[in-house]
Amino acid sequence: MKQRKNAGMILVLVILISLVVVFFLINQEQSGSESVSGEGSSFAVHFIDVGQADAALVECDGHFMLIDGGNAEDSDLVYAYLERHGAKHLDYMVASHAHEDHIGGLSGALNYASVDVALCPVTEYSSKVFRDMVKYLGEQGKTLTVPEPGDKFSLGSAQVEILGPVMEYDDTNDTSIVLRIDYGRTSFLFTGDMETGAERDLIDSGADLKADVLKSGHHGSDTSSSYVFLREVNPKYTVISVGEGNSYGHPSDEVLSRYRDLGAEVYRTDMQGHVIAESNGDTITFRTEKEADTATNPTGQPTLQTYIGNSGTGKFHLPDCASAKTIQEEKRVVFLTRLQAVLAGYEPCGRCRP
C-alpha cells in the first residue's frame, strides 16, 4: 500500500514538472518573438538623400530591401549607394507607387543589384520610367507582384507586414504601399505618398500603425500626416525625405507643427543629407551625413496660454477667436496646452490657426 502511495506521488510530481517545463518553453518562445534572435544581428534603415523624392535602403543581417529609388536622375546615386553598402542582391524591392519621384531611380538599382521579389501596387502605368523599371526587371526574369494587406515576410530577423492600401483609389498617391517593419521591440512605418483620406481608411481597417519611426508621408506635405493619423502612429522620430528649397514648400509648417505637438524628433534629408537609423532591437540611434545638430523643426515653442475646445465640432481655438466666443457653455472645453487639445482628439481651427 505504501509503495502504491509513493508511486502516485511520484506521478503527480512528474506531471507538475512537465507542466512547468511546457509553460517555461511557451513563455520563452513568446518573449523570443519580441527580441532579436542571434548574436551579431544588425538592423539599419538608410534614408537616402535623393532631393525632392524618396528612397530608403533597409539592411538586416546582411539582407536588403530597397523602398523606392528617387527620380530618374537619381539612378547613378542609387547605384553608387547600393554598391557602397554591398547591396548586390535585394531580397525585396518596393515601388511604393508609380510616380517618378519614387520609381525613377529604381532602374539604376536594377542595373547593379539582382532582385528576388519586386512589389508594386500596380503592374501597368503610362510612363517611361515605369516601363523602364519593368524592362530591367524582365531582364532578370522577374515581374511585379501586387501585395495584399496582411501579407508578411522576413528580412533577416526583421519582420515586414503590408498594411495598405486597403481600398482601390483613383489618386496614384493613395495607392501607395504602406508597410511596417518590426525589429525586436522597435518599429518603422513607411506610407509612400498616402494622403489623408486613405489614412482614415487605413485607421478604419484596424491596422496596427504604432511605430517608433515614421517616414513622413508625401515629403511632409499637408495633404498627409493628419492629426488623427499621427495620433495612431505616435512616432518618437520622423524622417522627411525632401529637396532643399523645393517649389512645393515641403515640409509644410502645419505638418512640422503637428510633429512638435507629438514631441517627435525630426530628421530631414534637405538639411542633413543621408539619414541612417540603426536599431539594436530595443533602442534606435541616428546618424546623419551632415549637420547632425541642426535645428530641423525650430519654430513654435510651447504656448503659455489656454485653448478653447468645442466638443460639438471637435475643434479647438485661441480664446479671442470669434468661433470660440460663440461656443455653448455645455460644449466648451478648456485646455491648458495645445498638446493637451491635440491628444484629446481635437483639431485646430482653420480661422485662428492656434
Side-chain angles (χ1 to χ4, degrees):
M1 179 71 80
K2 186 175 182 180
Q3 288 180 341
R4 187 178 302 170
K5 184 176 181 181
N6 288 341
M9 291 178 64
I10 291 172
L11 179 60
V12 170
L13 284 172
V14 168
I15 293 173
L16 287 173
I17 292 171
S18 299
L19 289 173
V20 170
V21 170
V22 170
F23 176 81
F24 175 79
L25 290 174
I26 292 174
N27 190 57
Q28 284 292 98
E29 183 178 351
Q30 290 176 340
S31 63
S33 67
E34 297 179 349
S35 61
V36 179
S37 57
E39 290 228 2
S41 179
S42 62
F43 181 91
V45 180
H46 302 250
F47 298 91
I48 305 171
D49 180 14
V50 286
Q52 186 63 22
D54 256 302
L57 178 66
V58 185
E59 178 183 2
C60 184
D61 306 336
H63 295 267
F64 295 93
M65 173 169 63
L66 181 63
I67 304 175
D68 292 332
N71 283 296
E73 63 190 29
D74 300 310
S75 291
D76 290 344
L77 186 158
V78 173
Y79 183 111
Y81 202 94
L82 297 185
E83 183 178 35
R84 184 160 69 250
H85 292 278
K88 185 65 177 173
H89 178 75
L90 301 172
D91 295 66
Y92 293 91
M93 185 187 82
V94 180
S96 68
H97 62 294
H99 282 160
E100 181 185 347
D101 60 324
H102 290 255
I103 68 168
L106 290 177
S107 293
L110 291 167
N111 274 277
Y112 174 73
S114 58
V115 174
D116 277 345
V117 178
L119 302 178
C120 187
V122 294
T123 57
E124 294 181 352
Y125 192 78
S126 180
S127 73
K128 182 180 183 303
V129 292
F130 193 91
R131 291 191 296 270
D132 286 346
M133 176 182 68
V134 171
K135 179 184 74 172
Y136 290 122
L137 275 170
E139 290 177 358
Q140 297 189 20
K142 305 294 183 181
T143 58
L144 291 170
T145 297
V146 178
E148 295 287 339
D151 288 351
K152 298 179 182 180
F153 56 88
S154 298
L155 185 76
S157 52
Q159 302 299 313
V160 183
E161 182 175 1
I162 304 296
L163 303 179
V166 296
M167 296 177 64
E168 293 186 3
Y169 299 99
D170 294 328
D171 189 323
T172 300
N173 286 332
D174 287 334
T175 68
S176 294
I177 291 174
V178 180
L179 62 84
R180 191 186 68 245
I181 307 170
D182 293 305
Y183 179 72
R185 296 177 178 86
T186 61
S187 50
F188 300 73
L189 184 66
F190 291 80
T191 65
D193 283 354
M194 178 181 63
E195 299 188 346
T196 54
E199 287 177 349
R200 288 192 296 271
D201 293 336
L202 191 59
I203 294 169
D204 292 343
S205 76
D208 181 5
L209 300 173
K210 180 72 179 71
D212 298 301
V213 179
L214 170 67
K215 200 287 297 179
S216 185
H218 205 175
H219 319 286
S221 167
D222 192 32
T223 60
S224 302
S225 302
S226 60
Y227 271 104
V228 65
F229 181 74
L230 292 180
R231 284 196 299 270
E232 291 292 323
V233 181
N234 196 23
K236 298 175 184 175
Y237 312 94
T238 187
V239 180
I240 307 175
S241 183
V242 63
E244 183 178 1
N246 67 85
S247 61
Y248 302 98
H250 297 161
S252 76
D253 290 338
E254 289 84 357
V255 169
L256 291 174
S257 175
R258 292 168 202 165
Y259 291 141
R260 286 195 297 272
D261 290 340
L262 289 174
E265 189 171 346
V266 173
Y267 290 86
R268 294 171 53 165
T269 59
D270 61 334
M271 293 181 171
Q272 297 166 302
H274 306 313
V275 176
I276 299 95
E278 297 173 308
S279 171
N280 63 8
D282 292 304
T283 59
I284 300 168
T285 56
F286 281 81
R287 293 187 290 114
T288 62
E289 180 187 20
K290 59 185 180 182
E291 304 294 341
D293 298 323
T294 192
T296 56
N297 195 2
T299 59
Q301 298 302 314
T303 306
L304 300 177
Q305 66 173 355
T306 59
Y307 296 86
I308 308 302
N310 184 334
S311 63
T313 64
K315 303 285 187 182
F316 68 95
H317 313 263
L318 293 173
D320 59 354
C321 177
S323 297
K325 296 175 182 178
T326 62
I327 299 174
Q328 298 175 5
E329 190 61 35
E330 64 271 18
K331 296 181 179 178
R332 188 179 183 86
V333 183
V334 177
F335 298 106
L336 300 180
T337 66
R338 191 178 194 279
L339 179 60
Q340 186 181 30
V342 171
L343 293 179
Y346 286 70
E347 295 191 0
C349 167
R351 177 185 296 179
C352 65
R353 297 183 179 276

Short mmCIF file of all heavy atoms in Angstrom, two decimals, residues 22 32 48 52 57-58 64 96 99-100 103 133 148 150-151 162 167 204 216 233 251 275 291 300 317 334 352:
data_model
loop_
_atom_site.label_atom_id
_atom_site.label_comp_id
_atom_site.label_asym_id
_atom_site.label_seq_id
_atom_site.Cartn_x
_atom_site.Cartn_y
_atom_site.Cartn_z
N VAL A 22 6.68 22.95 -19.86
CA VAL A 22 5.91 23.40 -21.02
C VAL A 22 5.62 24.89 -20.92
O VAL A 22 5.77 25.64 -21.90
CB VAL A 22 4.59 22.60 -21.13
CG1 VAL A 22 3.68 23.24 -22.17
CG2 VAL A 22 4.88 21.15 -21.49
N GLY A 32 10.81 35.47 -26.96
CA GLY A 32 11.81 35.46 -28.02
C GLY A 32 11.32 36.12 -29.28
O GLY A 32 12.10 36.67 -30.06
N ILE A 48 17.98 57.68 -48.02
CA ILE A 48 18.95 58.21 -48.97
C ILE A 48 18.51 59.60 -49.43
O ILE A 48 17.33 59.81 -49.78
CB ILE A 48 19.08 57.26 -50.18
CG1 ILE A 48 19.43 55.83 -49.70
CG2 ILE A 48 20.14 57.76 -51.15
CD1 ILE A 48 19.37 54.79 -50.80
N GLN A 52 14.02 66.06 -53.79
CA GLN A 52 12.57 66.06 -53.68
C GLN A 52 12.02 64.74 -54.22
O GLN A 52 11.36 64.67 -55.25
CB GLN A 52 11.99 67.25 -54.44
CG GLN A 52 10.50 67.46 -54.29
CD GLN A 52 10.07 67.77 -52.87
OE1 GLN A 52 10.88 68.24 -52.06
NE2 GLN A 52 8.83 67.49 -52.53
N LEU A 57 17.02 52.35 -48.08
CA LEU A 57 17.61 51.02 -48.11
C LEU A 57 17.55 50.43 -46.71
O LEU A 57 18.10 51.00 -45.76
CB LEU A 57 19.06 51.10 -48.59
CG LEU A 57 19.83 49.77 -48.63
CD1 LEU A 57 19.23 48.83 -49.68
CD2 LEU A 57 21.33 50.01 -48.91
N VAL A 58 16.87 49.29 -46.60
CA VAL A 58 16.76 48.61 -45.31
C VAL A 58 17.72 47.43 -45.30
O VAL A 58 17.72 46.62 -46.23
CB VAL A 58 15.32 48.10 -45.08
CG1 VAL A 58 15.18 47.49 -43.69
CG2 VAL A 58 14.32 49.24 -45.28
N PHE A 64 18.80 42.73 -47.73
CA PHE A 64 18.48 44.10 -48.13
C PHE A 64 17.09 44.21 -48.76
O PHE A 64 16.65 43.31 -49.47
CB PHE A 64 19.51 44.61 -49.14
CG PHE A 64 20.91 44.74 -48.60
CD1 PHE A 64 21.82 43.70 -48.72
CD2 PHE A 64 21.31 45.91 -47.96
CE1 PHE A 64 23.10 43.82 -48.23
CE2 PHE A 64 22.59 46.04 -47.46
CZ PHE A 64 23.50 45.00 -47.60
N SER A 96 6.73 51.99 -54.04
CA SER A 96 5.55 52.30 -53.22
C SER A 96 4.36 52.70 -54.07
O SER A 96 3.22 52.32 -53.78
CB SER A 96 5.87 53.40 -52.20
OG SER A 96 6.09 54.64 -52.84
N HIS A 99 4.59 57.01 -59.22
CA HIS A 99 5.11 58.33 -59.56
C HIS A 99 6.64 58.30 -59.71
O HIS A 99 7.33 57.59 -58.98
CB HIS A 99 4.71 59.36 -58.51
CG HIS A 99 3.29 59.81 -58.64
ND1 HIS A 99 2.59 60.41 -57.62
CD2 HIS A 99 2.43 59.77 -59.71
CE1 HIS A 99 1.37 60.72 -58.04
NE2 HIS A 99 1.25 60.33 -59.29
N GLU A 100 7.14 59.14 -60.64
CA GLU A 100 8.57 59.10 -60.97
C GLU A 100 9.48 59.37 -59.78
O GLU A 100 10.55 58.75 -59.66
CB GLU A 100 8.90 60.12 -62.07
CG GLU A 100 10.39 60.07 -62.44
CD GLU A 100 10.82 61.13 -63.43
OE1 GLU A 100 9.95 61.78 -64.03
OE2 GLU A 100 12.04 61.31 -63.58
N ILE A 103 9.96 55.92 -58.27
CA ILE A 103 10.42 54.74 -59.02
C ILE A 103 11.47 55.06 -60.09
O ILE A 103 12.08 54.15 -60.64
CB ILE A 103 9.24 54.01 -59.69
CG1 ILE A 103 8.63 54.87 -60.81
CG2 ILE A 103 8.20 53.60 -58.66
CD1 ILE A 103 7.66 54.12 -61.70
N MET A 133 11.48 50.40 -65.57
CA MET A 133 11.56 49.53 -64.38
C MET A 133 11.12 48.11 -64.73
O MET A 133 11.79 47.13 -64.38
CB MET A 133 10.71 50.10 -63.25
CG MET A 133 10.64 49.23 -62.01
SD MET A 133 9.57 49.92 -60.72
CE MET A 133 7.94 49.79 -61.50
N GLU A 148 -0.96 42.28 -50.81
CA GLU A 148 -2.26 42.48 -50.19
C GLU A 148 -2.06 42.84 -48.71
O GLU A 148 -1.10 42.38 -48.08
CB GLU A 148 -3.10 41.19 -50.27
CG GLU A 148 -3.47 40.78 -51.68
CD GLU A 148 -4.52 41.68 -52.29
OE1 GLU A 148 -5.24 42.35 -51.51
OE2 GLU A 148 -4.62 41.73 -53.52
N GLY A 150 -1.99 42.53 -44.96
CA GLY A 150 -1.87 41.32 -44.16
C GLY A 150 -0.73 40.42 -44.60
O GLY A 150 -0.35 39.51 -43.86
N ASP A 151 -0.20 40.65 -45.82
CA ASP A 151 0.97 39.87 -46.26
C ASP A 151 2.15 40.14 -45.33
O ASP A 151 2.40 41.29 -44.94
CB ASP A 151 1.37 40.24 -47.69
CG ASP A 151 0.39 39.72 -48.73
OD1 ASP A 151 -0.51 38.94 -48.36
OD2 ASP A 151 0.52 40.12 -49.91
N ILE A 162 2.62 44.12 -44.75
CA ILE A 162 1.93 45.05 -45.64
C ILE A 162 0.62 45.46 -44.96
O ILE A 162 -0.19 44.61 -44.60
CB ILE A 162 1.63 44.41 -47.01
CG1 ILE A 162 2.93 43.90 -47.67
CG2 ILE A 162 0.91 45.41 -47.91
CD1 ILE A 162 3.93 44.97 -48.01
N MET A 167 -8.03 49.93 -49.89
CA MET A 167 -9.11 50.11 -50.86
C MET A 167 -8.49 50.46 -52.21
O MET A 167 -7.29 50.67 -52.31
CB MET A 167 -10.06 51.25 -50.42
CG MET A 167 -10.80 50.99 -49.12
SD MET A 167 -11.82 52.41 -48.61
CE MET A 167 -13.00 52.46 -49.96
N ASP A 204 -9.48 52.98 -40.12
CA ASP A 204 -10.76 52.26 -40.00
C ASP A 204 -10.59 50.76 -40.23
O ASP A 204 -11.40 49.96 -39.75
CB ASP A 204 -11.77 52.81 -41.00
CG ASP A 204 -12.22 54.23 -40.68
OD1 ASP A 204 -12.01 54.66 -39.53
OD2 ASP A 204 -12.76 54.91 -41.57
N SER A 216 7.94 60.30 -43.08
CA SER A 216 6.86 61.27 -43.25
C SER A 216 6.18 61.12 -44.61
O SER A 216 6.84 61.07 -45.65
CB SER A 216 7.42 62.69 -43.10
OG SER A 216 6.39 63.63 -43.14
N VAL A 233 -0.13 56.58 -35.00
CA VAL A 233 1.27 56.14 -35.14
C VAL A 233 2.07 56.50 -33.89
O VAL A 233 2.86 55.71 -33.38
CB VAL A 233 1.91 56.78 -36.38
CG1 VAL A 233 3.36 56.29 -36.55
CG2 VAL A 233 1.11 56.45 -37.63
N PRO A 251 8.84 70.65 -46.22
CA PRO A 251 7.65 70.24 -45.46
C PRO A 251 6.83 71.45 -45.03
O PRO A 251 7.39 72.52 -44.79
CB PRO A 251 8.25 69.52 -44.25
CG PRO A 251 9.56 70.20 -44.02
CD PRO A 251 10.07 70.57 -45.39
N VAL A 275 20.24 60.07 -43.98
CA VAL A 275 19.90 59.85 -42.58
C VAL A 275 19.84 58.35 -42.34
O VAL A 275 19.13 57.63 -43.05
CB VAL A 275 18.54 60.49 -42.23
CG1 VAL A 275 18.15 60.17 -40.79
CG2 VAL A 275 18.58 62.00 -42.45
N GLU A 291 25.48 68.10 -40.65
CA GLU A 291 24.65 68.95 -39.79
C GLU A 291 23.84 68.14 -38.78
O GLU A 291 22.63 68.30 -38.65
CB GLU A 291 23.70 69.81 -40.64
CG GLU A 291 24.37 70.65 -41.69
CD GLU A 291 25.26 71.75 -41.11
OE1 GLU A 291 25.08 72.08 -39.93
OE2 GLU A 291 26.14 72.24 -41.83
N GLY A 300 8.03 77.54 -33.13
CA GLY A 300 6.86 77.12 -32.35
C GLY A 300 7.20 76.54 -31.01
O GLY A 300 7.10 75.35 -30.79
N HIS A 317 -9.61 76.38 -30.34
CA HIS A 317 -9.43 77.75 -30.79
C HIS A 317 -8.58 78.54 -29.80
O HIS A 317 -8.45 78.18 -28.63
CB HIS A 317 -10.80 78.46 -30.91
CG HIS A 317 -11.84 77.67 -31.61
ND1 HIS A 317 -12.14 77.83 -32.94
CD2 HIS A 317 -12.67 76.67 -31.16
CE1 HIS A 317 -13.11 77.00 -33.29
NE2 HIS A 317 -13.45 76.29 -32.24
N VAL A 334 -11.88 73.66 -21.84
CA VAL A 334 -10.66 74.46 -21.69
C VAL A 334 -9.45 73.54 -21.62
O VAL A 334 -9.42 72.59 -20.81
CB VAL A 334 -10.73 75.35 -20.43
CG1 VAL A 334 -9.41 76.13 -20.26
CG2 VAL A 334 -11.90 76.30 -20.52
N CYS A 352 -8.43 80.82 -36.72
CA CYS A 352 -7.42 81.45 -35.84
C CYS A 352 -6.10 80.71 -35.85
O CYS A 352 -5.10 81.22 -35.33
CB CYS A 352 -7.96 81.57 -34.43
SG CYS A 352 -8.27 79.97 -33.60
#
